[in-house]
Each structure stands twice: as structure tokens, then as C-alpha cells.
Amino acid sequence: MAQQTNVTDFLILIIGTLTTVLTVSGVIFFAFIFQRKLYRKQAEFREIEKLLKKEELQSAYALIEGRESERKRIAEDLHDNLGSLLATLKIYIDTLRNQEVKHEEKQLLTNDQSDIYSISLYKDNRTALIQKIHSLVEAAARETRRISHDLDSGLLQYGGFQAAIEQLIEAINNSQKLFIETVIDITDPLDDELSLNVYRIIQELFANTLKHAHATKVRIEITQIPREYISIIFEDNGKGFNSEQVKKGIGLQHIYSRVERFYGHVTIDSSSEFGSTFIIEIPFNHPFSV
Amino acid sequence: MPVYHLLAFIELVFLPFFYYKLLSAKPIYLYGLGVLILFNFLHTLLTGDLYKFNQVAWSINALVFIILGFVYYYQLYEQSEPILVEKHPMFFINAGILVYASGSFFTYLLGWEILSKEASGIFHNAWIIQSFSNVAKNIIIAYGLWLSRQM
């Protein structure tokens, strides 16, 4: 009997001790796995941060690249158009000066004021040259205005964002390459930095559609939720594209970098059947907002 | 002894209610709690003596509390956001309850032995185990409550 009690006591002691030890070990075990999960999560966060930093750098590079290509385009514009106009102008002015010198020398040598035919020819040539110089100066002035307009989107500055967009759309509509349906609902004025960037984004969207989409119709909707965000919905009926493959194209990168700069986001839905849809939302509480 | 029955009953109502608030699988939990209370009640009825130590029922109760404590830890682990253990009051409060439940389980297993005053040797002062676990529980839960005030 006493032996049976001893066995029961021993069993109780074993079970009791085991339960206590296992419970305390269980608490320690959970504390350990909680810590491990936390460390794992922290490591994941660090990895994500690293990736974000890399993405941010890529966006910054794309932005710099965008500026570089814009500068290059302006330099090419200056060189090819304005430069060649000025070079031609210089040639005409030199010719005019040479003719004047030759005419004066001839007059001094011959001292003949009566060569009416020669004087008349000289005068005709001179008038023609001056006429050419005049039209070249006009062309140069026009070209300067165009480049200047391209540089700071003058209308954007003076006429406001909506007027600039409307003019851009009118210009594309006039080219008869696209039929554009427009909805613009902007109630509050946008700040300069944001409006210039949104304008450039829309320019890039149209450029991409014109260059690659082979679309005939575009619908653009620009709406503003006051003090919250501006939304651009751009739809075309073109041949669509694989957004994953084209993502790295410079045109799209410019759009992404401009949008990301303002902490906005871009959603692209594209198919060969229904064309492409870009939904861009840019919040107003970005670091550039005042 | 009847007072101890009352204490056990309060414990049986309060602790499961505490876990009921914490755990997400509420319907299953409610059925389990119903079965446990019924078991306790029937056990007391069947033994038919309020002066008898309800050894089996209370041991099972303590075991159930231990299981509930670990289920709560598992639930904490499964949630998407990791927790900072040293700053999580519920981690400590649950740890306190677990320590207390394991100490109680040990004591309740020995309940009749102790109360019959026939226990000898190491079990002679077996209530000390529960007392120690109770003190440890109170200290750990106090720390948990202090932490919750800091947050």
C-alpha cells in the first residue's frame, strides 16, 4: 500500500514538475520565437528600404536623364534651326558688305557716276539681299520665340495650366492625327512646379500615343479634388503595349519619375483589344507644396 | 473549504472571460467554457461534499488555463505584425497566468494529499509551490500592468 502511494507521489511529482518546466520553457520559447520573428521582419524592412532607396535613385537618375535629354533637344534646336539661320544671315550680311565695298571701289576707280545700268543692278541686288536678311531675321525671331516657348511653356506661365493644356490639345486636334475628348475640372490654381510637371506628363502621354500607339481616339480627364490630389485619366484606342516590358522605356520612365517626385502613383492598364489607360494620381501634400 | 470552492469558481469565471476577450475563435471557445463549467459543477455534485477537495476538476481547470495561455501566444505569433516582447504588457500578463496555472496544477494534483495532512517529505509543504507561483504571477502581472500604463 505504502509502495503504491510512493509510486503515485512519484508520478505526481514527475507530471507536476514536467508541467511547470514545460510551461516556463513554453513562455521562454514563445519569447524567443517572437524575437526571431521581429528580427526577421526588421531584416525584411531593411531590405525593402534598400530597394526603395535604389528605386529612388533610379527615379532621380531618370529625372536627371530627362533634363539631360531636354537640354540636348534644346541644344539641337538651337544648333540646327537658329544656328543655321544665323549662319545664313551672316553670309548674306557679308555678301552685302562685299558688294558695297566693290561698288565703292569701282566708283573710286572709274569715277564714273553715269553708269546707270551698273548702279541700278547694284541697287537691285542690295534690295534683294536686304529683303532676304529681313525675312531671315524674322525667321530667327520666330525660332527664338518657339524655343523660348518650349523652354518654359510660356502659356503655362501666363495663361495658366488649363489654358496650356487646352492649347496643347487644340494643337494635336488640329494635326488631325487624333480625335481628343477632353474633360478638365480644375477649380483651384496649381502651384508652378506641379502644373509644369503635370503639363510635361500629359505632353509625354500624347507623345507616346502619337509615336507608338497608332490610336485614333484619346480621352483625357483631368480632375482636381481640392486640397487632396489631382487625377489624370488618359485613355487611347491604340494597339496597347506590355506595361512590364515597356516600363523601362525612357518615355514611361520620365512619366514615372515625375509622378514619383510628387509622391503620386501611376496605374497602367493596356491591352491590344481595348488600348491603353493611364491613371495618374498626384497628392497635393507633397514636399513641393506650400 | 467551501470558500476555496468559491475562489475556484471565481477563477473559473474570471480567467476564461479574460481569454474570451483576447482570443479570436470565440464560438468554439464558448462551447468549451460551457463544458468546463458543467464538468466542474457535476464533479462537485457527484462528490457531493463541499468539504472535499475538487482535485480532478481543478487540475483540469489549471491545465485548460495553460492551454488557453499558449493558444493566446500562438495567436500573437500568427498575427502579421511582430511584437516587441519586452514592451508588450499582455505577453507578461499571460506569462504570469501561465506560471500561476502551472504552479496551481502541481498543487491541485497533490490537493488531497496535502489537505489530508498525510503528505510527508517533499510534499509536506507542497502549498509552497502554489504560493511561490502565485507570488511570481503577481510580480509578472504587476510588471505587465505597469508596462500597459507606460504605453
Side-chain angles (χ1 to χ4, degrees), chain A residues 89 91-97 99-100 122-138:
Chain A
L89 196 63
I91 293 167
Y92 282 143
I93 290 169
D94 285 346
T95 314
L96 189 68
R97 200 192 289 152
Q99 277 185 0
E100 269 181 6
Y122 163 70
K123 276 184 179 171
D124 284 351
N125 278 343
R126 196 169 170 266
T127 312
L129 270 172
I130 287 169
Q131 188 60 42
K132 277 178 185 171
I133 287 167
H134 185 258
S135 59
L136 272 173
V137 169
E138 268 188 347

Side-chain angles (χ1 to χ4, degrees), chain A residues 5-272:
Chain A
T5 314
N6 274 344
V7 172
T8 317
D9 283 356
F10 184 69
L11 265 176
I12 288 171
L13 182 66
I14 295 288
I15 295 168
T17 313
L18 260 179
T19 314
T20 311
V21 170
L22 282 176
T23 309
V24 174
S25 310
V27 173
I28 294 166
F29 170 74
F30 267 102
F32 171 73
I33 61 169
F34 281 145
Q35 286 300 100
R36 214 180 61 167
K37 189 181 177 185
L38 186 72
Y39 285 136
R40 217 169 39 221
K41 202 83 178 177
Q42 278 172 343
E44 277 170 21
F45 276 141
R46 274 197 297 273
E47 201 60 36
I48 290 167
E49 262 177 24
K50 219 189 271 176
L51 274 173
L52 281 176
K53 219 169 211 174
K54 206 173 150 191
E55 281 287 312
E56 212 172 277
L57 274 176
Q58 270 179 354
S59 294
Y61 285 142
L63 201 74
I64 291 164
E65 206 179 313
R67 282 184 182 161
E68 281 300 315
S69 66
E70 214 160 77
R71 277 184 196 166
K72 205 174 163 191
R73 188 181 59 77
I74 293 161
E76 278 171 5
D77 259 7
L78 284 171
H79 176 265
D80 298 346
N81 301 330
L82 199 60
S84 62
L85 280 174
L86 291 174
T88 320
L89 196 63
K90 185 177 177 292
I91 293 167
Y92 282 143
I93 290 169
D94 285 346
T95 314
L96 189 68
R97 200 192 289 152
N98 285 343
Q99 277 185 0
E100 269 181 6
V101 171
K102 275 183 190 167
H103 179 70
E104 278 166 14
E105 277 174 357
K106 200 176 172 185
Q107 271 186 337
L108 279 172
L109 281 169
T110 56
N111 202 17
D112 183 7
Q113 302 286 333
S114 59
D115 188 358
I116 297 167
Y117 175 74
S118 170
I119 291 168
S120 161
L121 189 67
Y122 163 70
K123 276 184 179 171
D124 284 351
N125 278 343
R126 196 169 170 266
T127 312
L129 270 172
I130 287 169
Q131 188 60 42
K132 277 178 185 171
I133 287 167
H134 185 258
S135 59
L136 272 173
V137 169
E138 268 188 347
R142 262 201 315 274
E143 196 56 31
T144 311
R145 268 201 305 277
R146 189 187 65 77
I147 293 168
S148 153
H149 183 268
D150 268 11
L151 266 173
D152 71 351
S153 298
L155 193 66
L156 196 65
Q157 264 195 349
Y158 301 111
F161 172 76
Q162 191 161 340
I165 293 292
E166 278 165 358
Q167 201 206 39
L168 174 73
I169 289 165
E170 196 190 342
I172 299 167
N173 259 335
N174 287 342
S175 74
Q176 294 189 330
K177 283 179 180 166
L178 280 175
F179 171 75
I180 304 167
E181 191 190 334
T182 321
V183 179
I184 303 178
D185 182 15
I186 304 284
T187 45
D188 297 340
L190 306 176
D191 69 66
D192 289 351
E193 184 80 15
L194 180 65
S195 57
L196 183 65
N197 275 280
V198 173
Y199 180 82
R200 293 276 183 241
I201 289 166
I202 293 165
Q203 251 184 343
E204 195 71 53
L205 286 169
F206 275 117
N208 284 344
T209 303
L210 286 166
K211 273 188 214 164
H212 312 291
H214 301 295
T216 53
K217 281 182 194 168
V218 163
R219 184 178 184 278
I220 182 164
E221 191 178 317
I222 308 165
T223 42
Q224 180 194 37
I225 308 297
R227 288 184 293 278
E228 283 189 49
Y229 64 88
I230 182 166
S231 133
I232 304 155
I233 302 171
F234 184 95
E235 298 165 297
D236 70 36
N237 66 343
K239 62 175 185 176
F241 61 96
N242 183 334
S243 57
E244 284 307 309
Q245 278 177 7
V246 183
K247 221 170 196 172
K248 288 193 167 70
I250 289 185
L252 264 185
Q253 267 199 29
H254 285 173
I255 294 173
Y256 272 104
S257 62
R258 283 188 196 278
V259 173
E260 279 161 14
R261 198 173 158 207
F262 288 83
Y263 299 90
H265 61 91
V266 184
T267 313
I268 302 173
D269 182 19
S270 187
S271 72
S272 54

